[in-house]
Amino acid sequence: MKIYVADKGDTLVKIGNRYQVDVAQLLSVNPHILNPEAIIEGESVNLPSQSLLKAEARVVVAPFCPPVPQSEILHDWIPLTSAEQMAENEYDVLIVGSGAGGGAALWRLCEQWGNNDKRIGMVERGPNFLPTHVANIATMNDDKYRLYAPPQITDLIGNRLPQYSGMKLIYALGGRTLLWGAVSPRVPSYEIASWPVSLEEMELYYNIAEEVMNVITSYTKDSSITQVLLDRLRANGYFNADVIPVATDLDQTRLGKLHSNVFFSSIVFLARALSRRPFDLAVNTYAAQVVTEGGRAAGVRVMTPDKKSYVIKAKNVILSARALQTPRILLNSGIKGDAIGRYLINHSYLIPSASVNTAGFAEPLGALGIVVPELEERPYRLQLQGPGQFFNYQYDHKPVKDEWRISFYVSGKVEARYENRVFVDPSRRDEYGMPELQIDFSYSEKDIAVIQEMYAGLLHASSAMQLSIAELEGKPAICQQPPGADNHDSGTCRMGDDPLTSATNRYGQIHGVEGLYVADNSVLPSLGASNPTLSTVALAIRTADYIMSLLR
Ligand SMILES: Cc1cc2nc3c(=O)[nH]c(=O)nc-3n(C[C@H](O)[C@H](O)[C@H](O)COP(=O)(O)OP(=O)(O)OC[C@H]3O[C@@H](n4cnc5c(N)ncnc54)[C@H](O)[C@@H]3O)c2cc1C
């Protein structure tokens, strides 16, 4: 008889299987163990010596490898630290929010600093819900992922905000980049001319952003539907019509390096950052307030779902919580600034029910992706994707037919006005006891004039492309998205030189508060009609460079 000390998770049944000895026999020599299914970790088990010999006999040339110690087993797909542990450290840079802006700033710091002695941390309110962009999941396609709004990460806050009724908040590691369309244009240079950053510098940072996000125009290469509609547009005076720039990695797997993240998300920023150096990341960690000392940033007060509160100390804080939440955190922290929360901008949107007859087009049609960028004299963009919204096919059946429904959006410039604002309402508290978000928003007369132009432009371009627009009650079926539904909210902590009309300086630092920065859509002073994310990423990288230049 041998004595065996039961290991973690062991039961008598498991031990019997392992050593090929009958459970009834084991029970008879171990009267102290009543239930053969019970976990008996640490208990001594009498084992008939033959059985040990039998197990060992099966091992022909080498002993069994030792089990992996419990402490080394990975429980998550990304290393996590708790808020409690983070509160024991002081960070050189602490980032709030892991979406496009936060992810870009983190990647740049890690990439440039490498393995130096600086400490970098990130806190994210949402869970580590998905490890990739939704469109990279095999069961999704364009139709489905646009409707995907899991309640664990989605707050339909627009239901209580009549002036911004289309708005949804997404709280998850990766932020809204888990769901975004990845369309990544640059803002036109005449728009950037009013920003406090030179065109040359923007050019440099756009180049870096496009490279790290894999912004390419070849997504729709060889697609006949794209080519035919592009030719029709150009022949009808839309000289700047072009293929759509999308942040997609179409590289094939080479040298064992996987390219499974076709659609870019901020998770790729986190992965690239991790491959350069470690950083601390706490999920399900709500940033409630920025802590300041002597007029400069000193940390962030965070809360966990059990409502425990911690202060995480940091020499530099970057707020990247979205153009709606970043000003809220600043206002809830008592940070002063006339422009904080003001100048909320977004895009007006018109969406027709459009289709195209593809009889005679070369097969396969491929994916449609066309943009007609705005011009100074035409302050709206046309964007076409599809067909039938199968921008990406995944495993969907594509029926053979001639008439295809396509996604056609027209987005218009919205003026930056002081009256359009995000503010906090102390009479209404969220689940963490913090004053809730409120929004004042309306279109100006100029914005409405742009929407009227968009309507006429949409019909003109549709006829140029020979699209059919469905009819509803004798009128073209064209609808206007409610404010907030565009997901392009920006400008609420705009960059500028004048603290009366801007919240941050030209590097994203809050005027008058050293060490406190903003790196998300909030800093964009204007958008024109262009999607915001590429510009946010470019400026977040620039802000990270600025912080590093001060910490040298
Ligand atoms: C369906 C959809 C399609 C889109 N398509 C496009 C497109 O094609 N092109 C384009 O340019 N843009 C597109 N967008 C918009 C794009 O996703 C945003 O512009 C971009 O993600 C903005 O980055 P951000 O860092 O400002 O905010 P987010 O990416 O939203 O990140 C903010 C992060 O902060 C976290 N957070 C919030 N509050 C707190 C808090 N108190 N404490 C800690 N963390 C907090 C959030 O959970 C989130 O992770 C789309 C968005 C959606 C939803």
Side-chain angles (χ1 to χ4, degrees):
M1 196 74 71
K2 295 220 171 179
I3 306 286
Y4 169 82
V5 179
D7 219 343
K8 196 170 180 77
D10 269 352
T11 63
L12 218 51
V13 172
K14 281 189 186 170
I15 294 169
N17 287 340
R18 191 175 310 139
Y19 293 109
Q20 295 188 320
V21 49
D22 191 61
V23 176
Q25 195 189 351
L26 276 180
L27 278 170
S28 71
V29 292
N30 290 284
H32 58 293
I33 300 171
L34 300 176
N35 179 359
E37 301 279 0
I39 305 272
I40 49 171
E41 181 185 352
E43 279 195 44
S44 299
V45 179
N46 294 316
L47 217 50
S49 46
Q50 254 172 320
S51 61
L52 271 185
L53 286 175
K54 244 198 238 169
E56 277 159 18
R58 280 187 292 131
V59 180
V60 190
V61 285
F64 288 119
C65 301
V68 177
Q70 191 63 23
S71 58
E72 284 179 21
I73 288 173
L74 285 182
H75 294 282
D76 285 297
W77 46 267
I78 186 162
L80 297 176
T81 310
S82 69
E84 189 178 4
Q85 281 170 302
M86 284 183 72
E88 287 167 13
N89 302 319
E90 182 177 26
Y91 290 87
D92 292 286
V93 183
L94 180 65
I95 301 167
V96 174
S98 63
L106 175 79
W107 163 73
R108 187 61 168 182
L109 292 171
C110 292
E111 189 242 359
Q112 293 289 306
W113 269 342
N115 238 335
N116 66 4
D117 59 354
K118 301 279 188 247
R119 208 179 252 278
I120 307 173
M122 175 179 260
V123 292
E124 164 54 53
R125 172 174 176 166
N128 47 337
F129 189 66
L130 284 178
T132 188
H133 189 292
V134 169
N136 298 330
I137 297 173
T139 53
M140 290 286 171
N141 68 11
D142 203 53
D143 268 343
K144 290 176 193 152
Y145 93 72
R146 283 179 199 282
L147 296 172
Y148 185 63
Q152 304 95 307
I153 61 165
T154 313
D155 179 356
L156 299 172
I157 191 175
N159 291 343
R160 69 162 181 83
L161 297 170
Q163 296 177 17
Y164 223 64
S165 61
M167 189 174 73
K168 279 198 286 235
L169 296 175
I170 305 288
Y171 296 122
L173 189 66
R176 281 171 292 161
T177 67
L178 295 180
L179 301 157
W180 75 314
V183 177
S184 304
R186 296 184 178 198
V187 167
S189 48
Y190 61 82
E191 203 66 61
I192 294 175
S194 65
W195 295 11
V197 185
S198 72
L199 276 175
E200 291 71 26
E201 238 194 308
M202 275 315 294
E203 170 93 17
L204 168 78
Y205 282 102
Y206 271 140
N207 286 340
I208 299 171
E210 284 167 350
E211 200 178 311
V212 65
M213 294 166 74
N214 300 301
V215 178
I216 52 163
T217 50
S218 53
Y219 189 84
T220 52
K221 193 168 178 294
D222 299 332
S223 148
S224 65
I225 189 168
T226 297
Q227 202 51 55
V228 173
L229 297 191
L230 206 48
D231 290 345
R232 287 178 183 172
L233 278 168
R234 286 173 177 160
N236 283 280
Y238 293 90
F239 305 117
N240 65 340
D242 215 336
V243 287
I244 212 160
V246 265
T248 44
D249 180 358
L250 301 186
D251 270 6
Q252 61 191 20
T253 291
R254 244 182 296 132
L255 300 171
K257 196 172 164 203
L258 280 181
H259 290 266
S260 53
N261 284 274
V262 173
F263 280 83
F264 180 86
S265 75
S266 188
I267 304 295
V268 175
F269 277 141
L270 303 191
R272 284 182 174 231
L274 259 186
S275 70
R276 292 308 306 269
R277 56 167 291 151
F279 56 85
D280 289 347
L281 167 67
V283 294
N284 296 314
T285 300
Y286 170 94
Q289 286 169 313
V290 174
V291 179
T292 55
E293 268 169 33
R296 65 160 297 138
V300 176
R301 186 169 77 78
V302 301
M303 293 174 79
T304 46
D306 55 5
K307 309 297 175 307
K308 285 196 177 135
S309 176
Y310 304 93
V311 171
I312 304 180
K313 293 190 278 304
K315 294 185 184 116
N316 294 280
V317 172
I318 304 180
L319 295 180
S320 305
R322 182 173 176 168
L324 304 169
Q325 300 290 352
T326 288
R328 178 176 175 226
I329 296 172
L330 290 166
L331 294 168
N332 280 339
S333 311
I335 306 285
K336 299 274 179 280
D338 284 346
I340 294 175
R342 300 279 178 173
Y343 303 102
L344 170 63
I345 44 174
N346 54 24
H347 289 132
S348 51
Y349 259 87
L350 290 181
I351 305 176
S353 175
S355 61
V356 58
N357 192 306
T358 59
F361 288 24
E363 285 290 348
L365 293 178
L368 170 63
I370 292 180
V371 63
V372 184
E374 72 230 75
L375 297 171
E376 211 158 356
E377 63 279 14
R378 191 179 65 208
Y380 59 86
R381 271 167 65 89
L382 310 168
Q383 188 173 305
L384 293 110
Q385 286 167 299
Q389 294 196 357
F390 296 127
F391 190 51
N392 52 329
Y393 293 93
Q394 299 288 32
Y395 293 102
D396 256 32
H397 173 62
K398 185 172 169 255
V400 177
K401 59 178 185 179
D402 286 340
E403 194 71 21
W404 283 97
R405 191 163 62 85
I406 56 169
S407 296
F408 187 5
Y409 309 97
V410 185
S411 59
K413 175 173 171 154
V414 168
E415 272 190 292
R417 289 185 305 131
Y418 186 76
E419 303 86 293
N420 285 343
R421 62 168 182 151
V422 171
F423 62 108
V424 289
D425 175 2
S427 69
R428 202 183 172 113
R429 303 268 161 172
D430 68 8
E431 74 220 75
Y432 292 92
M434 298 305 293
E436 259 295 11
L437 179 75
Q438 286 292 350
I439 290 179
D440 279 343
F441 183 84
S442 64
Y443 289 127
S444 68
E445 280 182 17
K446 207 165 163 184
D447 299 336
I448 293 168
V450 172
I451 298 171
Q452 281 161 351
E453 270 185 63
M454 285 157 62
Y455 194 95
L458 187 163
L459 292 176
H460 185 268
S462 300
S463 125
M465 288 183 280
Q466 299 166 34
L467 302 184
S468 307
I469 306 290
E471 293 222 333
L472 193 64
E473 293 168 4
K475 286 188 179 159
I478 299 173
C479 63
Q480 189 182 328
Q481 264 194 340
D486 63 321
N487 258 299
H488 290 175
D489 39 273
S490 303
T492 51
C493 292
R494 67 209 304 243
M495 284 186 169
D497 293 330
D498 182 355
L500 285 178
T501 55
S502 59
T504 79
N505 71 12
R506 53 181 57 211
Y507 297 106
Q509 187 214 299
I510 291 285
H511 288 298
V513 189
E514 272 177 49
L516 180 56
Y517 297 87
V518 176
D520 58 19
N521 286 2
S522 322
V523 294
L524 300 173
S526 67
L527 282 179
S530 303
N531 316 49
T533 311
L534 182 73
S535 303
T536 288
V537 167
L539 289 173
I541 294 170
R542 182 171 171 273
T543 293
D545 281 359
Y546 177 72
I547 294 172
M548 286 185 285
S549 76
L550 297 182
L551 293 183
R552 243 180 232 137

